[in-house]
Amino acid sequence: MDQIRLAELLFPEIIEDIDHYERFYPPRALPDEACVTRIGPSPTGFVHLGNLYNALIGERLAHQSGGVLMLRIEDTDQKREVAGAVEAVIRAMAFFDIGFDEGATLDGERGAYGPYRQSRRRAVYHAVARQLVLRGRAYPCFATEDELAAMREAQAARKENFGVYGKYAPARDFSLEEIERRLQAGQAYVLRFRSMGDGEHDIRVLDAIRGELTMQENYQDFVLLKSDGLPTYHFAHVVDDHFMRTTHVVRGEEWLSTLPMHIELFDTLGWPRPLYCHTAVLEKIDGETRRKLSKRKDPELALEFYQAEGYAPAAVWEYLLTVLNSNYEEWRRDNPQLDCREFPFTTDKMSNSGALFDLDKLNDIAQNVIAAMPAAHVYDQLLAWCELYDAPFAALLKRDRAYGERIVGVGKHGDRPRKDIRSWRQAAGFLSFYYDETFRREDDYPPAITGELRQQILQAYLDGYDAADEQAQWFGKIRAVAERYNFALKPKEHLHNPGKYRGSIVDVSNVIRIALTGRLNSPDLYEIIAIIGERRMRERINAAMKA
């Protein structure tokens, strides 16, 4: 076979060779231990938690080592591309504070190793493909879909492995004349890799998460270039990871079965292998079983869920680090004031048997994170979320920033701040009672207190109220009201003598609490009154007495 003539037939327009791109994309000037990582989402319109999970791993590996993180858009499957999906990926990653050093941006791209959209790198792939043809390691395959289907049926009948290999790869042996005749006839073809592997042999590959793997050597003649001239994932990521000088490839475990194909490509081209990091699938507990997170069943798989619910990005980071590294929670207990990025992340502490996602645990962590935030920070993030998802409440917040900071700062003082807020959506509902426009009664008054008694208690409270009272004096007057209407001053006294008292002081406090906030669960009443003011307090209690 005249490989030079074949390369000219297949790639008449290619001028540059591999050496040109080796010079164009030189090795990076980075410290020896620096990691170069990338995430390569496909623009299919669904940005999911796995994208963020892997992006966070790549970000930590790169940035804690003084390396580089890239965003590369893997858009060679143009049939599946969804309009606006690239922008959705970029915005989602920015929202969750994944800081890319290079790659696709909303305005184009930045970095010296682009283009960062694979659909724009055709010349690079064709130069490498041409080199493989010249070396006799790639060939055109003209098999039609019907012929491939017939081949799979024959393999199934004989209980043989599926794929194009050996006797099932007749185009391997086509003469140059046969190839030229088919090309002149306009027959569609794909370019296949000519594997030299043997299915009876094993290879060993080091995985940063799973350790040394022993796998069956690749023997399949897989597709490099599709009939439209664009590369498959198998070819494109190998070429790009080499020329972009990627050191660590972070991807899901679903790609493990194809790893031998990629290893053979790297070795055939004489390129150093990157260190692969195959992450465990995200799972959840569903009843008595543990299963993979599902796009159809689990809304929490979509990143839009966390944005729409208003989870603080810092809380999502904290939670994912607990999933990623088994020692993170211990580190956090020992270092409560440090930024999570100071944690020494390592792939050695990652699970390879399924990463369990627990929304309840995320909620607990989110409450801790927001409780530790300064009030001004909480206000800014809440307002930003409301401007996107709750415009009426955003207008209320913007009306008086000082008031807004005060209401989000309630209970933040002291060694044990209140943990009432887990997300900005929940916060907007929780804080609604501070504004007359959104105030409403959500909970019932204590059953022990009838309408007439409720009026008497509230009137007695108003009669004794003095804005100059300190908190102890203020609560002492509530105690006096409780005692006056035969409510036990200690809940245990009522519990042990239910016939002696109408209830306990908790019931009296809850009558006032519901009148002022509309609910049983609220922060400290004394602090609430100081914020809403005496006028509003009296208006609400008067309204409650008339209801």
Side-chain angles (χ1 to χ4, degrees):
M1 173 75 74
D2 183 346
Q3 299 298 146
I4 295 176
R5 175 58 181 159
L6 178 57
E8 290 173 348
L9 286 171
L10 298 178
F11 302 103
E13 79 289 357
I14 293 300
I15 300 173
E16 309 295 356
D17 59 12
I18 286 182
D19 290 339
H20 165 79
Y21 290 107
E22 293 286 3
R23 294 188 298 271
F24 191 79
Y25 301 115
R28 294 173 181 269
L30 294 171
D32 290 343
E33 299 302 317
C35 299
V36 179
T37 63
R38 48 73 172 174
I39 70 163
S42 300
T44 57
F46 182 64
V47 191
H48 56 81
L49 187 63
N51 295 135
L52 180 61
Y53 182 78
N54 286 342
L56 195 151
I57 298 168
E59 193 279 343
R60 288 292 76 214
L61 288 174
H63 290 162
Q64 73 180 14
S65 67
V68 173
L69 174 66
M70 295 176 284
L71 174 60
R72 186 172 75 212
I73 304 300
E74 300 189 346
D75 58 350
T76 59
D77 190 351
Q78 298 189 327
K79 292 179 181 178
R80 297 178 62 222
E81 185 167 346
V82 174
V86 172
E87 291 76 12
V89 168
I90 293 171
R91 288 193 176 96
M93 292 297 138
F95 179 86
F96 287 102
D97 202 20
I98 300 296
F100 293 101
D101 305 294
E102 296 176 9
T105 69
L106 291 176
D107 301 323
E109 58 180 44
R110 68 174 182 271
Y113 288 78
Y116 295 92
R117 301 188 188 211
Q118 289 184 331
S119 60
R120 300 176 185 174
R121 296 176 64 84
R122 183 187 297 250
V124 184
Y125 307 130
H126 283 207
V128 178
R130 182 177 184 275
Q131 181 65 33
L132 289 170
V133 171
L134 287 170
R135 293 170 55 181
R137 297 302 303 272
Y139 64 92
C141 174
F142 300 88
T144 66
E145 287 299 322
D146 289 342
E147 289 171 335
L148 291 172
M151 178 192 73
R152 285 190 288 271
E153 288 181 8
Q155 290 170 335
R158 296 167 184 162
K159 297 183 179 179
E160 295 177 326
N161 293 332
F162 293 117
V164 176
Y165 59 91
K167 65 183 179 181
Y168 295 113
R172 265 182 168 237
D173 301 320
F174 282 177
S175 66
L176 182 59
E177 292 73 23
E178 175 69 8
I179 293 172
E180 194 162 6
R181 181 185 67 78
R182 289 174 179 258
L183 290 173
Q184 288 174 350
Q187 289 190 23
Y189 69 91
V190 298
L191 190 74
R192 289 188 181 274
F193 180 66
R194 187 189 296 268
S195 175
M196 296 300 183
D198 185 337
E200 299 299 317
H201 297 161
D202 289 336
I203 60 170
R204 288 184 172 80
V205 186
L206 180 63
D207 185 284
I209 297 171
R210 298 162 188 272
E212 187 174 76
L213 303 174
T214 300
M215 310 182 75
Q216 183 185 44
E217 186 176 44
N218 175 64
Y219 59 93
Q220 297 271 351
D221 287 2
F222 56 90
V223 175
L224 300 173
L225 298 178
K226 295 174 287 187
S227 58
D228 60 3
L230 287 172
T232 59
Y233 166 80
H234 308 299
F235 188 42
H237 98 269
V238 168
V239 173
D240 290 342
D241 285 335
H242 173 69
F243 286 124
M244 292 179 175
R245 309 301 174 176
T246 304
T247 64
H248 291 65
V249 174
V250 181
R251 63 184 186 181
E253 66 178 22
E254 66 270 17
W255 293 107
L256 265 172
S257 63
T258 62
L259 181 58
M261 297 159 57
H262 309 147
I263 292 301
E264 188 178 5
L265 256 181
F266 273 109
D267 293 352
T268 297
L269 289 162
W271 294 342
R273 304 174 184 177
L275 184 56
Y276 282 90
C277 314
H278 287 93
T279 58
V281 67
L282 289 170
E283 298 178 332
K284 69 178 293 185
I285 300 296
D286 188 356
E288 299 297 320
T289 62
R290 180 167 171 158
R291 63 167 175 80
K292 179 180 177 180
L293 279 175
S294 161
K295 178 179 177 180
R296 182 173 58 85
K297 296 179 180 179
D298 306 308
E300 65 267 33
L301 182 59
L303 283 191
E304 170 60 22
F305 168 83
Y306 303 94
Q307 293 173 270
E309 287 300 309
Y311 283 97
V316 177
W317 266 72
E318 286 279 337
Y319 175 69
L320 288 180
L321 283 169
T322 69
V323 177
L324 286 168
N325 269 193
S326 56
N327 60 329
Y328 180 77
E329 291 180 84
E330 179 181 354
W331 177 87
R332 173 50 78 204
R333 284 194 296 271
D334 294 339
N335 302 278
Q337 304 303 321
L338 293 184
D339 188 287
C340 66
R341 289 171 176 79
E342 296 190 44
F343 169 69
F345 171 81
T346 174
T347 55
D348 294 340
K349 296 290 185 179
M350 290 182 64
S351 169
N352 60 19
S353 60
L356 185 62
F357 181 81
D358 184 346
L359 192 59
D360 290 336
K361 186 172 182 179
L362 169 60
N363 287 332
D364 288 342
I365 289 174
Q367 288 176 329
N368 292 333
V369 168
I370 293 176
M373 284 183 184
H377 193 176
V378 174
Y379 174 87
D380 288 337
Q381 288 203 27
L382 173 59
L383 177 58
W385 181 87
C386 287
E387 287 181 323
L388 289 174
Y389 296 96
D390 190 344
F393 200 71
L396 295 176
L397 288 169
K398 287 192 289 187
R399 193 166 63 192
D400 185 340
R401 180 185 176 99
Y403 183 78
E405 286 193 26
R406 288 187 72 190
I407 68 175
V408 300
V410 171
K412 281 187 168 294
H413 313 295
D415 296 332
R416 300 181 66 183
R418 285 182 65 93
K419 299 175 181 178
D420 297 305
I421 299 174
R422 64 177 180 272
S423 71
W424 306 133
R425 181 181 295 280
Q426 180 257 340
F430 181 75
L431 300 171
S432 62
F433 70 84
Y434 284 103
Y435 296 95
D436 292 337
E437 294 88 341
T438 50
F439 171 77
R440 67 181 186 278
R441 185 164 66 85
E442 298 176 3
D443 293 325
D444 293 328
Y445 289 100
I449 301 179
T450 63
E452 182 179 355
L453 180 57
R454 183 176 75 244
Q455 292 177 350
Q456 292 171 342
I457 289 172
L458 291 174
Q459 186 62 58
Y461 169 76
L462 282 183
D463 291 343
Y465 181 79
D466 186 338
D469 286 344
E470 298 290 338
Q471 187 166 12
Q473 295 171 292
W474 169 82
F475 188 66
K477 291 180 178 180
I478 293 178
R479 288 171 57 89
V481 172
E483 196 169 24
R484 175 178 171 182
Y485 290 101
N486 194 34
F487 286 86
L489 297 183
K490 296 180 180 179
K492 285 185 178 180
E493 291 178 356
H494 172 246
L495 183 65
H496 296 314
N497 300 282
K500 184 178 180 181
Y501 300 101
R502 285 173 160 170
S504 78
I505 192 171
V506 172
D507 296 310
V508 174
S509 296
N510 282 340
V511 167
I512 302 168
R513 186 179 303 277
I514 291 171
L516 291 178
T517 70
R519 62 187 68 147
L520 289 169
N521 178 30
S522 72
D524 179 71
L525 266 182
Y526 183 80
E527 197 169 355
I528 289 172
I529 295 168
I531 291 174
I532 66 174
E534 182 176 357
R535 178 188 60 79
R536 185 177 289 160
M537 179 270 289
R538 289 186 178 276
E539 287 176 351
R540 290 189 180 180
I541 288 186
N542 282 322
M545 287 193 290
K546 296 174 183 177

